[in-house]
Amino acid sequence: MNRTASLDKLKSESFDICIIGAGASGAGCALDAVLRGYKVAIIDKKDFASETSSRSTKLIHGGVRYLEQAFKKLDFAQLKQVRHGLEERHIVLKNAPHLARPLALMTPVNSWLEGLYFKIGLQLYDTFATNDTLPKSKWLNKSEVMAKIPTLDSKKLHSGVLYYDGQLDDARYCLALVQSASEAGAVVANYVDVSGFQKDVAGKILGVNVSDTQTGNAFTIHAKLVINCTGPFSDKVRLMANSGLPERLRPSKGVHVMLPKETLNSEYAMLIPKTSDGRVVFAIPFEGATMIGTTDTECDDIQSEPTLNQKEKQYLADTLNPYLATQIDISQLRSGFGGLRPLLSADPSKSTKSLTRDHEIELDETSGLVSLLGGKWTTYRLMAKDTIDQADEIFAKSNVCITADHILAGGENYKLDSWKELAQKYDLTQEVAVHLVKKYGSRAERICKLTVDEPLLKEKLSEHYPYIKAEVVYAVRDEMAVTPRDFLARRIRFEITDWDETLNSLPVVTTLMARELGWNPEERERQADNYAREIGKFISDAE
């Protein structure tokens, strides 16, 4: 993926479809559309997956909470959402095995009756999960639960119900979708901002007026059809195309915190079924830390990046503490992140917690804009299929969707144990080799090859983590990383796991990026300062 070449094509060529927004839904649409034979462009105001799609709970699931609500309230929309999620779960796992894998989740219970309730519920959950090979749920006794999560409070524990969902690295999964679309022929570019639309005399969109935010250069992308996949920002694009449209989105904010791995000291995740506001909260091992989330609060300000505050930190600690033998010390917080959910609502009186995560495809007859509204990570492929089915209808075509069987970039011929060969061939530690294979899949050797002529690139960015310098170079050359945050927050997940070590690695990262991108010393310092300020806001808001 070469950004300069992509920008040249965006300026000089015409497209069948231009997709605005390169998160999960936009990237999924781009891959589906290009595989159906369309000439596709996809752009994003910031980086790929820079908003909602990199800030999820990292779960591939149907939604246990949705299933409970469906039966309690006879809400068939919730039931439909569960079914869709579980139908898609095995596809998400299969198509990128290096980035998505099964995850065992424990639900601790305090009584026999409570255990029976959750066992029945999770058995129902299992029945919706067709076509996959994940193990079925089990009701375990206290000793079995404690053997799996030894930090639980055994005095309060009666038993536990174990079930399985999937886990993914959301930012890199989205990048794999973008890479796959690019390799299939789509033209992709980040940091391209939309300022308006070019229309014909009847008001139909003919092109997208944009600017390259890195240079300020403005131009128009000419396309027969424009698809809006901007998640919680969809109303802004919709109203830009047609100011007469009603607003449809009710964004809500959710935050997660990262604590040391020793908080659970387990490879098993935990579902906390009882919270003060009626949600469920998860405690999940991720990238060498324990991630706890999420919250759900109304969010009126979607222009400012969501951060986490002391109240949200305390809520998550207070939710997990009753289950632990040793209480969480919130000062142990390593990092955290906030995100926005693109919830759909036709009823302003409903709270965001009660809104379904299902999706809707909107065709504005006046402007011709197609908008993909709502949805969640697990169903990204189904959302994209429905959207490109709509495009087929507009173009009077009947193409077949083939994304269910399309292995994503890095998943081709993937073998987890290939780390052994890489470690031996390139003199890498097991920790580093396993990390590379889990992040880059069958393409991990591309990073290793960079170290042959430049052995210093094998050096780690931090002694406490497996990330190496060669990844910075590869991210710039092959993954369109433009800023330090692209690399630190999304190409690797350093930012969301450890703020202090991320900042410690910043000088090395910016020096390597400066070499690759031709930054002078002043630009390198500006990039470092900008990133330090961004992270500084997260840290100060969380204190």
Side-chain angles (χ1 to χ4, degrees), residues 74 139 187 190 213 243 269 279 325 341 358 419 467 498 543:
L74 298 179
W139 192 356
V187 178
N190 49 5
T213 65
S243 59
R279 292 185 54 75
R341 300 180 189 86
D358 216 343
W419 70 263
Y467 314 124
D498 194 324
E543 289 175 346

Side-chain angles (χ1 to χ4, degrees), residues 174-241:
C174 183
L175 179 65
L177 287 167
V178 173
Q179 289 175 307
S180 300
S182 174
E183 291 168 11
V187 178
V188 306
N190 49 5
Y191 295 99
V192 177
D193 190 18
V194 175
S195 57
F197 294 102
Q198 189 178 94
K199 299 179 180 179
D200 64 15
V201 292
K204 298 289 186 182
I205 294 173
L206 297 173
V208 186
N209 299 325
V210 302
S211 62
D212 175 1
T213 65
Q214 301 302 293
T215 64
N217 292 335
F219 58 96
T220 299
I221 302 171
H222 298 282
K224 298 172 186 174
L225 178 67
V226 176
I227 300 177
N228 170 22
C229 294
T230 54
F233 311 99
S234 295
D235 280 340
K236 180 180 178 181
V237 177
R238 292 171 65 246
L239 294 171
M240 196 184 293

Side-chain angles (χ1 to χ4, degrees), residues 487-502:
F487 175 74
L488 290 165
R490 291 175 287 275
R491 303 304 183 274
I492 62 174
R493 310 314 304 275
F494 216 169
E495 180 187 305
I496 68 168
T497 51
D498 194 324
W499 284 330
D500 288 343
E501 285 300 303
T502 299

Side-chain angles (χ1 to χ4, degrees), residues 86-108:
L86 292 176
E87 285 173 351
E88 290 295 309
R89 185 177 67 180
H90 74 286
I91 297 175
V92 179
L93 290 166
K94 170 177 67 75
N95 286 357
H98 56 308
L99 299 172
R101 53 195 61 90
L103 178 71
L105 295 103
M106 185 73 71
T107 306

